[in-house]
Amino acid sequence: MKAPLDRGLFRQRPKKTITRNLRGAIASRVIGPWEWLFMPALVAIAVTVVLATPIRIFGLHLPEPVMPLVLAFVWPLVRPSYLAPLVLAALGLFLDVYWSAPFGFYTLTLMIVYGVLVTVRSYVAGQDWRVVFGIYVATEIVFFGMGVTLIALDTGSIVRLIGVFEQLIATTLLFPVVPYMLDKYVHADVRFG
Amino acid sequence: MAYGDNKHFEHLKLPVTWAVMAIVVGVCIFAALMLLGDRREEVEPNTYGDRSAFDSAAKPVNGALAAPVHVVGAGTSWLDDYLFAASENRTLKKQVAELRQYRDAYFVLKDVNERYEKLLNLRTEPAVEAVTARSVSVTRGPFNNNRLIDAGASRKITFGNPVITDQGLVGRIVGVSPNVSRVLMVTDVTSHVPIMVMRTDARAMMKGDGGCCPKLEFIRGKNVIKKGDQILTSGDGGIFPRGLPVGEADQGVDGVWRVRLYADRAPIDFVKVLLFKDFSRLPDADQLLKTPPVSDLLPPPVLPTVNPAAAASASASASAVVSSAAPAPAAAASSSSAAARPAPPRPKPQPRPATSASASSSSSPELRPFTPAPAPASPQPSTPTGGAN
């Protein structure tokens, strides 16, 4: 007899186990730079452009998260790469121009996030998602703190911190992308790029 | 073993983390140099010039990607109108009843105002030509607030043109390409707008901080502003024309006066670009620095023709009137009148430029400094030494 909650959404699915034996390694799909670097970068650009549409839905503006920050968090955890910082720099330059920020503003802040995470990746990769979420929020705080500091140095005035908090919340809502990409790429055969 | 098959270095591997960190550091240095060289905060035409090509390319891409979002937005707007039609109808009827009174008063006051302007011969500001454009994309983050609109230099839009909606001021043009322009919104952290409080005519500076409500700084006077006061552009500095509606004054919990923008009352979809000439930019700073000093352009000052000997003798004795050395009849007249009363203080001779007198008299007479022709029969003294009759 089936358990009363063992149907529909409550059906317990068999747990996925990662096969680390030889057969599993051979069966894993090879993932190249196009798939784990360039495609997410293009998606990030597309999402940024779409969310910049000047409309209001039920009186509310569209959110404006910093989409490349998710990639700056995920890519160093997947593996260190020569191409990733260059693609990230291009994404930062795109944000600088598209959002009309000072040249180098997003490039510098994203690069610092990437560099720090490359250094500490061995402590973060493989942790429980709650730990990863905490580190993600800490990364966001560092990122936006650097942004506030750089703008204060550049213009001599402090930006409204409530606005910074709103953008931080919008970027936090993108966190489900992080475990999705980590599950997809961390244990895959990600090729050198 | 063939040439080239030696693989002595095949096991030599660069430590990946170190190499990646080297790339990161290199990119960071490059980005920091770019950031140091950026002059966005100065809001000058050349600071946005490099981005115009990107803005031109962004417009069609944005239009294509945002098409589904526009459909969703139109659908929700229709649903919103449908659901709230009855309550909105009641509100609008009430507003129409109120506005009818204002309309009648407006026509009366407009007529009176026109009569006053004619009577006082006031020089009213000419009507400003405007271009309508549609907002293509918007950046609302805390670090930058700006928009792309689908009209550019081909429609006579230039740097500095104010941008408004039917509600109020939005910002001004900071980047122009042939078919796209970038609007710096008044909420941007680099935006400064000189404003005035309509009730008290007090002046202040509205400064954006990335939030919805820009703050007011340098408010002149005490108790010149209160909650709900209407804020208009003052026109000081010549960037914005005078009298554009901006918003209403409000005080935040931190005690800072802020402006609730009228432009936020409705979605900023279509905007109007005023082709207003920013007269503060008319003089070119480089040309101004190259202009010669005023002393080179103007004629040298007119010097009083005073004969020291005659003046000394006139002050010493009243009988010595005639002086053979007096060149002009004016001098004689002045000395005769001066004989009857104490001599006024004599002006000190003004220093004459060294080149004007000697060079002009010796080499070329036609280059002599400008001096007014002496009036021979004039009863009035022509020199300051003459005093009053």
Side-chain angles (χ1 to χ4, degrees):
Chain A
M1 181 182 171
K2 281 187 177 180
L5 289 177
D6 193 15
R7 62 176 182 274
L9 284 174
F10 301 96
R11 179 176 296 162
Q12 291 184 350
R13 292 169 185 162
K15 285 187 177 177
K16 283 183 182 176
T17 53
I18 299 164
T19 54
R20 297 188 184 280
N21 54 14
L22 184 61
R23 184 182 294 272
I26 291 171
S28 66
R29 198 160 53 89
V30 173
I31 292 176
W34 170 256
E35 197 167 346
W36 78 287
L37 289 177
F38 294 111
M39 276 298 288
L42 290 177
V43 170
I45 290 174
V47 170
T48 304
V49 170
V50 167
L51 289 179
T53 309
I55 65 161
R56 285 187 190 180
I57 296 177
F58 295 120
L60 298 173
H61 291 293
L62 293 178
E64 193 179 63
V66 185
M67 190 71 187
L69 182 61
V70 179
L71 304 181
F73 186 83
V74 170
W75 282 344
L77 300 186
V78 173
R79 64 158 297 155
S81 163
Y82 294 133
L83 273 180
L86 299 177
V87 176
L88 201 62
L91 280 175
L93 204 58
F94 163 76
L95 286 187
D96 290 339
V97 181
Y98 189 69
W99 282 353
S100 196
F103 271 124
F105 175 76
Y106 283 105
T107 313
L108 183 64
T109 47
L110 288 172
M111 260 315 120
I112 291 174
V113 166
Y114 183 88
V116 171
L117 284 165
V118 161
T119 312
V120 300
R121 70 177 293 273
S122 57
Y123 301 102
V124 181
Q127 297 282 358
D128 186 64
W129 72 268
R130 296 174 190 84
V131 177
V132 175
F133 178 72
I135 296 169
Y136 179 75
V137 173
T139 306
E140 280 183 310
I141 292 170
V142 170
F143 174 81
F144 286 108
M146 280 191 297
V148 172
T149 309
L150 286 177
I151 289 293
L153 291 173
D154 193 34
T155 64
S157 54
I158 304 288
V159 299
R160 191 165 172 256
L161 295 180
I162 295 175
V164 178
F165 183 71
E166 288 170 359
Q167 197 170 32
L168 189 146
I169 293 293
T171 312
T172 306
L173 293 178
L174 293 174
F175 177 73
V177 178
V178 174
Y180 170 76
M181 289 185 71
L182 288 178
D183 283 347
K184 193 173 181 183
Y185 298 128
V186 162
H187 300 298
D189 185 9
V190 178
R191 284 304 161 105
F192 193 78
Chain B
M1 189 171 68
Y3 178 75
D5 283 349
N6 53 340
K7 296 183 177 176
H8 302 300
F9 299 104
E10 67 174 341
H11 298 297
L12 183 64
K13 289 183 180 174
L14 197 63
V16 176
T17 306
W18 285 99
V20 169
M21 284 306 291
I23 293 175
V24 169
V25 170
V27 174
C28 279
I29 292 171
F30 179 68
L33 290 176
M34 279 201 302
L35 192 61
L36 287 173
D38 191 89
R39 290 285 174 267
R40 187 186 71 121
E41 71 279 2
E42 293 176 359
V43 196
E44 292 288 334
N46 49 2
T47 55
Y48 280 82
D50 304 336
R51 306 171 193 236
S52 59
F54 182 89
D55 289 349
S56 299
K59 180 193 162 192
V61 176
N62 207 311
L65 286 175
V69 188
H70 277 296
V71 172
V72 172
T76 57
S77 177
W78 178 85
L79 192 65
D80 198 36
D81 291 346
Y82 182 78
L83 291 176
F84 299 101
S87 63
E88 196 172 354
N89 193 25
R90 277 194 294 273
T91 310
L92 287 175
K93 276 182 180 173
K94 193 178 171 186
Q95 281 184 355
V96 167
E98 288 175 4
L99 289 175
R100 277 205 184 107
Q101 305 168 19
Y102 285 106
R103 185 194 61 183
D104 297 340
Y106 164 75
F107 284 128
V108 172
L109 291 175
K110 187 183 174 193
D111 181 56
V112 172
N113 190 42
E114 283 175 356
R115 286 167 188 266
Y116 280 147
E117 284 178 356
K118 282 179 186 171
L119 279 174
L120 297 171
N121 199 18
L122 279 181
R123 189 173 66 91
T124 54
E125 293 184 3
V128 179
E129 200 179 342
V131 170
T132 306
R134 184 172 185 175
S135 179
V136 177
S137 76
V138 60
T139 305
R140 298 172 302 272
F143 306 123
N144 10 72
N145 280 250
N146 48 66
R147 286 176 180 271
L148 281 182
I149 58 171
D150 63 350
S154 61
R155 297 178 66 186
K156 299 181 184 175
I157 292 176
T158 56
F159 176 87
N161 288 153
V163 180
I164 60 172
T165 61
D166 55 338
Q167 305 283 337
L169 182 70
V170 174
R172 60 172 163 144
I173 301 288
V174 291
V176 184
S177 54
N179 295 312
V180 182
S181 301
R182 191 170 282 275
V183 180
L184 181 77
M185 294 167 72
V186 293
T187 51
D188 191 274
V189 74
T190 58
S191 168
H192 296 78
V193 180
I195 58 99
M196 63 179 181
V197 183
M198 191 180 180
R199 183 176 59 85
T200 58
D201 206 29
R203 299 299 206 269
M205 184 65 76
M206 187 175 75
K207 187 176 183 307
D209 61 353
C212 63
C213 307
K215 56 186 175 184
L216 294 179
E217 292 183 344
F218 308 112
I219 303 171
R220 289 191 202 165
K222 284 185 176 179
N223 301 324
V224 292
I225 187 167
K226 66 178 184 181
K227 187 175 179 180
D229 276 347
Q230 194 176 10
I231 306 294
L232 309 174
T233 54
S234 68
D236 295 336
I239 296 171
F240 293 97
R242 188 179 188 276
L244 292 179
V246 179
E248 283 180 0
D250 196 1
Q251 199 165 21
V253 290
D254 52 354
V256 177
W257 283 103
R258 293 182 177 272
V259 180
R260 289 197 178 279
L261 298 172
Y262 288 146
D264 274 351
R265 286 175 173 173
I268 302 174
D269 193 5
F270 287 96
V271 296
K272 197 186 277 188
V273 183
L274 302 179
L275 304 182
F276 174 74
K277 277 287 182 190
D278 170 8
F279 63 76
S280 71
R281 306 196 63 80
L282 290 180
D284 188 3
D286 295 336
Q287 289 298 320
L288 280 179
L289 292 175
K290 285 177 186 171
T291 50
V294 179
S295 58
D296 291 356
L297 297 175
L298 296 176
V302 180
L303 299 178
T305 53
V306 177
N307 190 347
S313 61
S315 62
S317 65
S319 60
V321 173
V322 179
S323 172
S324 60
S334 69
S335 61
S336 63
S337 63
R341 68 187 69 189
R346 192 173 42 168
K348 293 178 180 177
Q350 297 293 320
R352 180 184 286 268
T355 55
S356 59
S358 59
S360 60
S361 60
S362 62
S363 60
S364 55
E366 64 274 9
L367 293 177
R368 296 178 73 180
F370 172 78
T371 50
S378 172
Q380 297 292 331
S382 62
T383 60
T385 56
N389 289 329

